Amino acid sequence: MNILVTGGTGFIGSHTCVELLNAGHDVMVLDNLCNSDAAVIGRIEQICGRKPRFVEGDIRDAALLQDLFAEYPVSAVMHFAGIKAVGESVEKPKKYYQNNVEGTSVLLAAMVQADIRTIVFSSSATVYGEPASVPITEDFPRSATNPYGDTKLKIEDMLAELQRTTPGWRIARLRYFNPVGAHKSGLIGESPAGVPDNLMPFITQAAAGLRDELRVFGSDYETPDGTGVRDYIHVVDLANGHIAALNYLRRNPQMLTVNLGTGKGVSVLEMIKTFETVNHCKVPYRITNRRPGDIAKCWADTRLANRLLAWKADRSLADMCRDAWRWQQAQTPPP
Ligand code: NAD
Ligand code: UD1
């Protein structure tokens, strides 16, 4: 198939491009590079021996999309393009609404015009807000705790509305838990701009000596060791979940909503310990206060994805730590 990957030079998009190319698909990347680098395209080629086409541009540019769909026979869209910093979304909610929600609306309108009716969308476990219990199944109530989360709710609703009102759409809403790790080649990975908000990039930077210490946000949660528990999933497993979703949509013209996680909860301290053990290094850390807005625990019930997609995340926490560290070291080679 010819797949348009929006946000394809980003963290999850780039790993998915690799898996799509490896599965024999042709790939066109559309990215405005607001949070990524065009050099990623060459790195994807180094891994796969094949290069995706690349268009630098914005999903909000209707004329560009129209030209692109006229020139290139796209059969499905994987839609990763979006901005995702929770803190910034609280300060600049309009920016998030315009980029993520309006951007998706422009993309969908262009798809309708070009008669392309298959889309795989990057949703998030953030749509579950503060879940009443764990593990989380797809029918849990949805709510947003910040504007970023609200954009995911609005896009999920927009897709559901499209499915209800327009025949023939094949839609996957994939709710990711906590993607971490990197490709085993060390050629692509996560490159957060500035100080990382998320745990794994902070751990790798602290271990590399780029940050003084990791602050562990709270040790008084109702969890076995008191630190926050999350469902970390290796980004390559997540990427393969997208291929499985695409295959499912080819067989089933409907809307699919599934969790993509491992189904296992891991605490902050467990993550630090595993990282130190498998990589033979130290992660300097200090326990501090809770981060406002954080929840105690969040992990997925993955049975629906396992059953419908015949897919399972099988890379271990050790694999995630090893691959993230290899990527970090490739960014900061020793002097
Ligand atoms: P990322 O920032 O690495 O990748 C997103 C890409 O989209 C970037 O390359 C960026 O330049 C591009 N982009 C942003 N706005 C654009 C626009 N208007 N037009 C064209 N390109 C644009 O982030 P990621 O971690 O790879 O996330 C991909 C998607 O998955 C996002 O939608 C994100 O909200 C969602 N998601 C991510 C996580 C996570 O923890 N990383 C969790 C759940 C959901
Ligand atoms: C955060 C976002 C969520 C988003 C997800 C993936 C918030 C409140 N939530 O989720 O919307 O979908 O990232 O991008 O920002 N931790 C530390 N020290 C750190 C960083 C994190 O102790 O420096 C802890 C956190 O308290 C948490 C765990 O590590 O218990 C994971 O944090 P993080 O990677 O930020 O992910 P989430 O909080 O799950």
PDB file of all heavy atoms in Angstrom, residues 289-320:
ATOM      1  N   ASN A 289       8.638  16.159  45.707  1.00  0.00           N
ATOM      2  CA  ASN A 289       7.173  16.179  45.812  1.00  0.00           C
ATOM      3  C   ASN A 289       6.526  15.601  44.559  1.00  0.00           C
ATOM      4  O   ASN A 289       7.151  15.527  43.507  1.00  0.00           O
ATOM      5  CB  ASN A 289       6.677  17.620  45.954  1.00  0.00           C
ATOM      6  CG  ASN A 289       7.073  18.177  47.300  1.00  0.00           C
ATOM      7  OD1 ASN A 289       7.321  17.418  48.240  1.00  0.00           O
ATOM      8  ND2 ASN A 289       7.151  19.505  47.381  1.00  0.00           N
ATOM      9  N   ARG A 290       5.261  15.293  44.693  1.00  0.00           N
ATOM     10  CA  ARG A 290       4.480  14.834  43.537  1.00  0.00           C
ATOM     11  C   ARG A 290       4.434  15.922  42.465  1.00  0.00           C
ATOM     12  O   ARG A 290       4.479  17.112  42.803  1.00  0.00           O
ATOM     13  CB  ARG A 290       3.033  14.550  43.962  1.00  0.00           C
ATOM     14  CG  ARG A 290       2.897  13.365  44.875  1.00  0.00           C
ATOM     15  CD  ARG A 290       1.429  13.163  45.178  1.00  0.00           C
ATOM     16  NE  ARG A 290       1.220  12.012  46.055  1.00  0.00           N
ATOM     17  CZ  ARG A 290       0.035  11.446  46.260  1.00  0.00           C
ATOM     18  NH1 ARG A 290      -1.047  11.931  45.659  1.00  0.00           N
ATOM     19  NH2 ARG A 290      -0.100  10.406  47.052  1.00  0.00           N
ATOM     20  N   ARG A 291       4.314  15.525  41.211  1.00  0.00           N
ATOM     21  CA  ARG A 291       4.092  16.494  40.132  1.00  0.00           C
ATOM     22  C   ARG A 291       2.579  16.728  40.039  1.00  0.00           C
ATOM     23  O   ARG A 291       1.818  15.762  39.903  1.00  0.00           O
ATOM     24  CB  ARG A 291       4.633  15.919  38.817  1.00  0.00           C
ATOM     25  CG  ARG A 291       4.402  16.787  37.605  1.00  0.00           C
ATOM     26  CD  ARG A 291       5.161  16.265  36.380  1.00  0.00           C
ATOM     27  NE  ARG A 291       4.670  14.972  35.907  1.00  0.00           N
ATOM     28  CZ  ARG A 291       5.150  14.333  34.855  1.00  0.00           C
ATOM     29  NH1 ARG A 291       6.153  14.853  34.149  1.00  0.00           N
ATOM     30  NH2 ARG A 291       4.653  13.165  34.481  1.00  0.00           N
ATOM     31  N   PRO A 292       2.148  18.013  40.094  1.00  0.00           N
ATOM     32  CA  PRO A 292       0.701  18.256  40.049  1.00  0.00           C
ATOM     33  C   PRO A 292       0.085  17.628  38.795  1.00  0.00           C
ATOM     34  O   PRO A 292       0.660  17.694  37.718  1.00  0.00           O
ATOM     35  CB  PRO A 292       0.590  19.784  39.984  1.00  0.00           C
ATOM     36  CG  PRO A 292       1.899  20.306  40.445  1.00  0.00           C
ATOM     37  CD  PRO A 292       2.932  19.257  40.158  1.00  0.00           C
ATOM     38  N   GLY A 293      -1.066  17.021  38.976  1.00  0.00           N
ATOM     39  CA  GLY A 293      -1.769  16.441  37.830  1.00  0.00           C
ATOM     40  C   GLY A 293      -1.427  14.974  37.586  1.00  0.00           C
ATOM     41  O   GLY A 293      -2.091  14.310  36.789  1.00  0.00           O
ATOM     42  N   ASP A 294      -0.381  14.451  38.262  1.00  0.00           N
ATOM     43  CA  ASP A 294      -0.015  13.047  38.056  1.00  0.00           C
ATOM     44  C   ASP A 294      -0.997  12.112  38.747  1.00  0.00           C
ATOM     45  O   ASP A 294      -1.543  12.432  39.803  1.00  0.00           O
ATOM     46  CB  ASP A 294       1.382  12.771  38.635  1.00  0.00           C
ATOM     47  CG  ASP A 294       2.480  12.940  37.607  1.00  0.00           C
ATOM     48  OD1 ASP A 294       2.149  13.235  36.434  1.00  0.00           O
ATOM     49  OD2 ASP A 294       3.664  12.800  37.971  1.00  0.00           O
ATOM     50  N   ILE A 295      -1.163  10.938  38.152  1.00  0.00           N
ATOM     51  CA  ILE A 295      -1.983   9.921  38.800  1.00  0.00           C
ATOM     52  C   ILE A 295      -1.069   8.843  39.370  1.00  0.00           C
ATOM     53  O   ILE A 295       0.106   8.762  38.999  1.00  0.00           O
ATOM     54  CB  ILE A 295      -3.018   9.314  37.804  1.00  0.00           C
ATOM     55  CG1 ILE A 295      -2.314   8.796  36.545  1.00  0.00           C
ATOM     56  CG2 ILE A 295      -4.056  10.360  37.448  1.00  0.00           C
ATOM     57  CD1 ILE A 295      -3.251   8.144  35.548  1.00  0.00           C
ATOM     58  N   ALA A 296      -1.605   8.022  40.278  1.00  0.00           N
ATOM     59  CA  ALA A 296      -0.769   7.013  40.939  1.00  0.00           C
ATOM     60  C   ALA A 296      -0.409   5.890  39.970  1.00  0.00           C
ATOM     61  O   ALA A 296       0.744   5.512  39.832  1.00  0.00           O
ATOM     62  CB  ALA A 296      -1.511   6.448  42.145  1.00  0.00           C
ATOM     63  N   LYS A 297      -1.435   5.356  39.310  1.00  0.00           N
ATOM     64  CA  LYS A 297      -1.143   4.184  38.475  1.00  0.00           C
ATOM     65  C   LYS A 297      -2.022   4.143  37.235  1.00  0.00           C
ATOM     66  O   LYS A 297      -3.183   4.569  37.260  1.00  0.00           O
ATOM     67  CB  LYS A 297      -1.270   2.885  39.270  1.00  0.00           C
ATOM     68  CG  LYS A 297      -2.458   2.821  40.189  1.00  0.00           C
ATOM     69  CD  LYS A 297      -2.296   1.689  41.173  1.00  0.00           C
ATOM     70  CE  LYS A 297      -3.430   1.733  42.184  1.00  0.00           C
ATOM     71  NZ  LYS A 297      -3.302   0.805  43.267  1.00  0.00           N
ATOM     72  N   CYS A 298      -1.421   3.616  36.199  1.00  0.00           N
ATOM     73  CA  CYS A 298      -2.113   3.575  34.917  1.00  0.00           C
ATOM     74  C   CYS A 298      -1.516   2.451  34.090  1.00  0.00           C
ATOM     75  O   CYS A 298      -0.328   2.475  33.780  1.00  0.00           O
ATOM     76  CB  CYS A 298      -1.875   4.929  34.227  1.00  0.00           C
ATOM     77  SG  CYS A 298      -2.434   5.037  32.533  1.00  0.00           S
ATOM     78  N   TRP A 299      -2.293   1.422  33.844  1.00  0.00           N
ATOM     79  CA  TRP A 299      -1.845   0.431  32.867  1.00  0.00           C
ATOM     80  C   TRP A 299      -3.037  -0.141  32.117  1.00  0.00           C
ATOM     81  O   TRP A 299      -4.178  -0.035  32.556  1.00  0.00           O
ATOM     82  CB  TRP A 299      -0.935  -0.649  33.457  1.00  0.00           C
ATOM     83  CG  TRP A 299      -1.495  -1.581  34.471  1.00  0.00           C
ATOM     84  CD1 TRP A 299      -2.139  -2.761  34.231  1.00  0.00           C
ATOM     85  CD2 TRP A 299      -1.423  -1.446  35.893  1.00  0.00           C
ATOM     86  NE1 TRP A 299      -2.471  -3.361  35.409  1.00  0.00           N
ATOM     87  CE2 TRP A 299      -2.036  -2.582  36.448  1.00  0.00           C
ATOM     88  CE3 TRP A 299      -0.891  -0.481  36.760  1.00  0.00           C
ATOM     89  CZ2 TRP A 299      -2.150  -2.770  37.824  1.00  0.00           C
ATOM     90  CZ3 TRP A 299      -1.002  -0.666  38.119  1.00  0.00           C
ATOM     91  CH2 TRP A 299      -1.624  -1.797  38.646  1.00  0.00           C
ATOM     92  N   ALA A 300      -2.717  -0.725  30.977  1.00  0.00           N
ATOM     93  CA  ALA A 300      -3.760  -1.104  30.025  1.00  0.00           C
ATOM     94  C   ALA A 300      -4.247  -2.521  30.245  1.00  0.00           C
ATOM     95  O   ALA A 300      -3.484  -3.403  30.625  1.00  0.00           O
ATOM     96  CB  ALA A 300      -3.199  -1.014  28.608  1.00  0.00           C
ATOM     97  N   ASP A 301      -5.520  -2.718  29.954  1.00  0.00           N
ATOM     98  CA  ASP A 301      -6.001  -4.059  29.656  1.00  0.00           C
ATOM     99  C   ASP A 301      -5.786  -4.213  28.150  1.00  0.00           C
ATOM    100  O   ASP A 301      -6.366  -3.450  27.367  1.00  0.00           O
ATOM    101  CB  ASP A 301      -7.486  -4.177  30.012  1.00  0.00           C
ATOM    102  CG  ASP A 301      -7.980  -5.605  29.850  1.00  0.00           C
ATOM    103  OD1 ASP A 301      -7.606  -6.246  28.843  1.00  0.00           O
ATOM    104  OD2 ASP A 301      -8.731  -6.079  30.725  1.00  0.00           O
ATOM    105  N   THR A 302      -4.951  -5.139  27.753  1.00  0.00           N
ATOM    106  CA  THR A 302      -4.566  -5.220  26.333  1.00  0.00           C
ATOM    107  C   THR A 302      -5.280  -6.359  25.595  1.00  0.00           C
ATOM    108  O   THR A 302      -4.929  -6.660  24.459  1.00  0.00           O
ATOM    109  CB  THR A 302      -3.045  -5.446  26.207  1.00  0.00           C
ATOM    110  OG1 THR A 302      -2.717  -6.669  26.864  1.00  0.00           O
ATOM    111  CG2 THR A 302      -2.256  -4.312  26.847  1.00  0.00           C
ATOM    112  N   ARG A 303      -6.253  -6.968  26.261  1.00  0.00           N
ATOM    113  CA  ARG A 303      -6.837  -8.176  25.653  1.00  0.00           C
ATOM    114  C   ARG A 303      -7.529  -7.902  24.325  1.00  0.00           C
ATOM    115  O   ARG A 303      -7.487  -8.722  23.414  1.00  0.00           O
ATOM    116  CB  ARG A 303      -7.807  -8.849  26.629  1.00  0.00           C
ATOM    117  CG  ARG A 303      -7.062  -9.604  27.732  1.00  0.00           C
ATOM    118  CD  ARG A 303      -7.993 -10.156  28.753  1.00  0.00           C
ATOM    119  NE  ARG A 303      -8.735  -9.078  29.425  1.00  0.00           N
ATOM    120  CZ  ARG A 303      -9.667  -9.268  30.324  1.00  0.00           C
ATOM    121  NH1 ARG A 303     -10.011 -10.499  30.680  1.00  0.00           N
ATOM    122  NH2 ARG A 303     -10.285  -8.248  30.891  1.00  0.00           N
ATOM    123  N   LEU A 304      -8.149  -6.718  24.226  1.00  0.00           N
ATOM    124  CA  LEU A 304      -8.868  -6.433  22.977  1.00  0.00           C
ATOM    125  C   LEU A 304      -7.883  -6.334  21.808  1.00  0.00           C
ATOM    126  O   LEU A 304      -8.097  -6.939  20.745  1.00  0.00           O
ATOM    127  CB  LEU A 304      -9.668  -5.133  23.122  1.00  0.00           C
ATOM    128  CG  LEU A 304     -10.643  -4.840  21.989  1.00  0.00           C
ATOM    129  CD1 LEU A 304     -11.744  -5.896  21.914  1.00  0.00           C
ATOM    130  CD2 LEU A 304     -11.271  -3.445  22.143  1.00  0.00           C
ATOM    131  N   ALA A 305      -6.800  -5.593  22.016  1.00  0.00           N
ATOM    132  CA  ALA A 305      -5.794  -5.469  20.942  1.00  0.00           C
ATOM    133  C   ALA A 305      -5.174  -6.829  20.645  1.00  0.00           C
ATOM    134  O   ALA A 305      -4.985  -7.194  19.474  1.00  0.00           O
ATOM    135  CB  ALA A 305      -4.714  -4.471  21.341  1.00  0.00           C
ATOM    136  N   ASN A 306      -4.877  -7.596  21.685  1.00  0.00           N
ATOM    137  CA  ASN A 306      -4.270  -8.925  21.473  1.00  0.00           C
ATOM    138  C   ASN A 306      -5.187  -9.790  20.602  1.00  0.00           C
ATOM    139  O   ASN A 306      -4.727 -10.456  19.681  1.00  0.00           O
ATOM    140  CB  ASN A 306      -4.024  -9.645  22.800  1.00  0.00           C
ATOM    141  CG  ASN A 306      -3.068  -8.893  23.738  1.00  0.00           C
ATOM    142  OD1 ASN A 306      -3.050  -9.125  24.931  1.00  0.00           O
ATOM    143  ND2 ASN A 306      -2.276  -7.984  23.213  1.00  0.00           N
ATOM    144  N   ARG A 307      -6.477  -9.725  20.908  1.00  0.00           N
ATOM    145  CA  ARG A 307      -7.420 -10.608  20.211  1.00  0.00           C
ATOM    146  C   ARG A 307      -7.725 -10.101  18.803  1.00  0.00           C
ATOM    147  O   ARG A 307      -7.600 -10.844  17.830  1.00  0.00           O
ATOM    148  CB  ARG A 307      -8.720 -10.688  21.045  1.00  0.00           C
ATOM    149  CG  ARG A 307      -9.777 -11.614  20.472  1.00  0.00           C
ATOM    150  CD  ARG A 307     -10.850 -11.935  21.511  1.00  0.00           C
ATOM    151  NE  ARG A 307     -11.514 -10.755  22.061  1.00  0.00           N
ATOM    152  CZ  ARG A 307     -12.475 -10.072  21.443  1.00  0.00           C
ATOM    153  NH1 ARG A 307     -12.899 -10.449  20.248  1.00  0.00           N
ATOM    154  NH2 ARG A 307     -13.020  -9.002  22.012  1.00  0.00           N
ATOM    155  N   LEU A 308      -8.094  -8.826  18.690  1.00  0.00           N
ATOM    156  CA  LEU A 308      -8.513  -8.321  17.373  1.00  0.00           C
ATOM    157  C   LEU A 308      -7.344  -8.204  16.405  1.00  0.00           C
ATOM    158  O   LEU A 308      -7.481  -8.466  15.218  1.00  0.00           O
ATOM    159  CB  LEU A 308      -9.172  -6.935  17.509  1.00  0.00           C
ATOM    160  CG  LEU A 308     -10.503  -6.874  18.240  1.00  0.00           C
ATOM    161  CD1 LEU A 308     -11.019  -5.433  18.248  1.00  0.00           C
ATOM    162  CD2 LEU A 308     -11.538  -7.782  17.585  1.00  0.00           C
ATOM    163  N   LEU A 309      -6.212  -7.782  16.915  1.00  0.00           N
ATOM    164  CA  LEU A 309      -5.080  -7.491  16.018  1.00  0.00           C
ATOM    165  C   LEU A 309      -4.093  -8.641  15.931  1.00  0.00           C
ATOM    166  O   LEU A 309      -3.139  -8.571  15.144  1.00  0.00           O
ATOM    167  CB  LEU A 309      -4.332  -6.232  16.496  1.00  0.00           C
ATOM    168  CG  LEU A 309      -5.166  -4.974  16.715  1.00  0.00           C
ATOM    169  CD1 LEU A 309      -4.269  -3.809  17.119  1.00  0.00           C
ATOM    170  CD2 LEU A 309      -5.952  -4.618  15.457  1.00  0.00           C
ATOM    171  N   ALA A 310      -4.290  -9.681  16.738  1.00  0.00           N
ATOM    172  CA  ALA A 310      -3.296 -10.763  16.822  1.00  0.00           C
ATOM    173  C   ALA A 310      -1.913 -10.142  17.031  1.00  0.00           C
ATOM    174  O   ALA A 310      -0.931 -10.483  16.367  1.00  0.00           O
ATOM    175  CB  ALA A 310      -3.322 -11.646  15.582  1.00  0.00           C
ATOM    176  N   TRP A 311      -1.862  -9.200  17.955  1.00  0.00           N
ATOM    177  CA  TRP A 311      -0.632  -8.441  18.219  1.00  0.00           C
ATOM    178  C   TRP A 311      -0.384  -8.433  19.726  1.00  0.00           C
ATOM    179  O   TRP A 311      -1.339  -8.418  20.506  1.00  0.00           O
ATOM    180  CB  TRP A 311      -0.818  -7.005  17.716  1.00  0.00           C
ATOM    181  CG  TRP A 311       0.191  -6.028  18.259  1.00  0.00           C
ATOM    182  CD1 TRP A 311       1.384  -5.704  17.699  1.00  0.00           C
ATOM    183  CD2 TRP A 311       0.088  -5.253  19.469  1.00  0.00           C
ATOM    184  NE1 TRP A 311       2.035  -4.783  18.484  1.00  0.00           N
ATOM    185  CE2 TRP A 311       1.271  -4.484  19.579  1.00  0.00           C
ATOM    186  CE3 TRP A 311      -0.870  -5.140  20.475  1.00  0.00           C
ATOM    187  CZ2 TRP A 311       1.515  -3.612  20.640  1.00  0.00           C
ATOM    188  CZ3 TRP A 311      -0.632  -4.283  21.541  1.00  0.00           C
ATOM    189  CH2 TRP A 311       0.548  -3.519  21.610  1.00  0.00           C
ATOM    190  N   LYS A 312       0.870  -8.424  20.098  1.00  0.00           N
ATOM    191  CA  LYS A 312       1.214  -8.371  21.514  1.00  0.00           C
ATOM    192  C   LYS A 312       2.548  -7.648  21.633  1.00  0.00           C
ATOM    193  O   LYS A 312       3.429  -7.851  20.793  1.00  0.00           O
ATOM    194  CB  LYS A 312       1.344  -9.810  22.031  1.00  0.00           C
ATOM    195  CG  LYS A 312       1.314  -9.966  23.505  1.00  0.00           C
ATOM    196  CD  LYS A 312       1.154 -11.460  23.832  1.00  0.00           C
ATOM    197  CE  LYS A 312       1.613 -11.776  25.232  1.00  0.00           C
ATOM    198  NZ  LYS A 312       3.051 -11.673  25.425  1.00  0.00           N
ATOM    199  N   ALA A 313       2.680  -6.816  22.654  1.00  0.00           N
ATOM    200  CA  ALA A 313       3.971  -6.154  22.885  1.00  0.00           C
ATOM    201  C   ALA A 313       4.860  -7.147  23.608  1.00  0.00           C
ATOM    202  O   ALA A 313       4.535  -7.567  24.713  1.00  0.00           O
ATOM    203  CB  ALA A 313       3.756  -4.916  23.748  1.00  0.00           C
ATOM    204  N   ASP A 314       5.950  -7.555  22.975  1.00  0.00           N
ATOM    205  CA  ASP A 314       6.743  -8.586  23.667  1.00  0.00           C
ATOM    206  C   ASP A 314       8.144  -8.157  24.062  1.00  0.00           C
ATOM    207  O   ASP A 314       8.868  -8.927  24.679  1.00  0.00           O
ATOM    208  CB  ASP A 314       6.756  -9.910  22.888  1.00  0.00           C
ATOM    209  CG  ASP A 314       7.028  -9.712  21.423  1.00  0.00           C
ATOM    210  OD1 ASP A 314       7.668  -8.696  21.097  1.00  0.00           O
ATOM    211  OD2 ASP A 314       6.601 -10.558  20.618  1.00  0.00           O
ATOM    212  N   ARG A 315       8.545  -6.935  23.743  1.00  0.00           N
ATOM    213  CA  ARG A 315       9.875  -6.493  24.185  1.00  0.00           C
ATOM    214  C   ARG A 315       9.820  -6.158  25.679  1.00  0.00           C
ATOM    215  O   ARG A 315       8.844  -5.582  26.151  1.00  0.00           O
ATOM    216  CB  ARG A 315      10.346  -5.299  23.351  1.00  0.00           C
ATOM    217  CG  ARG A 315      10.766  -5.730  21.944  1.00  0.00           C
ATOM    218  CD  ARG A 315      11.002  -4.567  21.014  1.00  0.00           C
ATOM    219  NE  ARG A 315      11.435  -5.013  19.695  1.00  0.00           N
ATOM    220  CZ  ARG A 315      10.638  -5.514  18.763  1.00  0.00           C
ATOM    221  NH1 ARG A 315       9.348  -5.644  18.987  1.00  0.00           N
ATOM    222  NH2 ARG A 315      11.121  -5.899  17.589  1.00  0.00           N
ATOM    223  N   SER A 316      10.886  -6.529  26.393  1.00  0.00           N
ATOM    224  CA  SER A 316      10.889  -6.415  27.858  1.00  0.00           C
ATOM    225  C   SER A 316      11.308  -5.015  28.302  1.00  0.00           C
ATOM    226  O   SER A 316      11.817  -4.209  27.508  1.00  0.00           O
ATOM    227  CB  SER A 316      11.868  -7.431  28.439  1.00  0.00           C
ATOM    228  OG  SER A 316      13.186  -7.056  28.053  1.00  0.00           O
ATOM    229  N   LEU A 317      11.149  -4.791  29.601  1.00  0.00           N
ATOM    230  CA  LEU A 317      11.606  -3.521  30.182  1.00  0.00           C
ATOM    231  C   LEU A 317      13.122  -3.384  29.990  1.00  0.00           C
ATOM    232  O   LEU A 317      13.624  -2.290  29.715  1.00  0.00           O
ATOM    233  CB  LEU A 317      11.245  -3.500  31.671  1.00  0.00           C
ATOM    234  CG  LEU A 317      11.437  -2.155  32.360  1.00  0.00           C
ATOM    235  CD1 LEU A 317      10.503  -1.099  31.787  1.00  0.00           C
ATOM    236  CD2 LEU A 317      11.215  -2.288  33.869  1.00  0.00           C
ATOM    237  N   ALA A 318      13.832  -4.497  30.108  1.00  0.00           N
ATOM    238  CA  ALA A 318      15.290  -4.467  29.887  1.00  0.00           C
ATOM    239  C   ALA A 318      15.594  -4.031  28.450  1.00  0.00           C
ATOM    240  O   ALA A 318      16.503  -3.226  28.217  1.00  0.00           O
ATOM    241  CB  ALA A 318      15.881  -5.850  30.169  1.00  0.00           C
ATOM    242  N   ASP A 319      14.832  -4.553  27.473  1.00  0.00           N
ATOM    243  CA  ASP A 319      15.037  -4.131  26.074  1.00  0.00           C
ATOM    244  C   ASP A 319      14.813  -2.622  25.934  1.00  0.00           C
ATOM    245  O   ASP A 319      15.563  -1.932  25.252  1.00  0.00           O
ATOM    246  CB  ASP A 319      14.039  -4.829  25.127  1.00  0.00           C
ATOM    247  CG  ASP A 319      14.235  -6.330  25.067  1.00  0.00           C
ATOM    248  OD1 ASP A 319      15.384  -6.782  25.223  1.00  0.00           O
ATOM    249  OD2 ASP A 319      13.224  -7.051  24.873  1.00  0.00           O
ATOM    250  N   MET A 320      13.759  -2.120  26.583  1.00  0.00           N
ATOM    251  CA  MET A 320      13.440  -0.682  26.482  1.00  0.00           C
ATOM    252  C   MET A 320      14.607   0.142  27.016  1.00  0.00           C
ATOM    253  O   MET A 320      15.025   1.133  26.425  1.00  0.00           O
ATOM    254  CB  MET A 320      12.166  -0.350  27.274  1.00  0.00           C
ATOM    255  CG  MET A 320      10.934  -1.115  26.805  1.00  0.00           C
ATOM    256  SD  MET A 320       9.505  -0.748  27.863  1.00  0.00           S
ATOM    257  CE  MET A 320       8.583  -2.280  27.735  1.00  0.00           C
TER     258      MET A 320
END
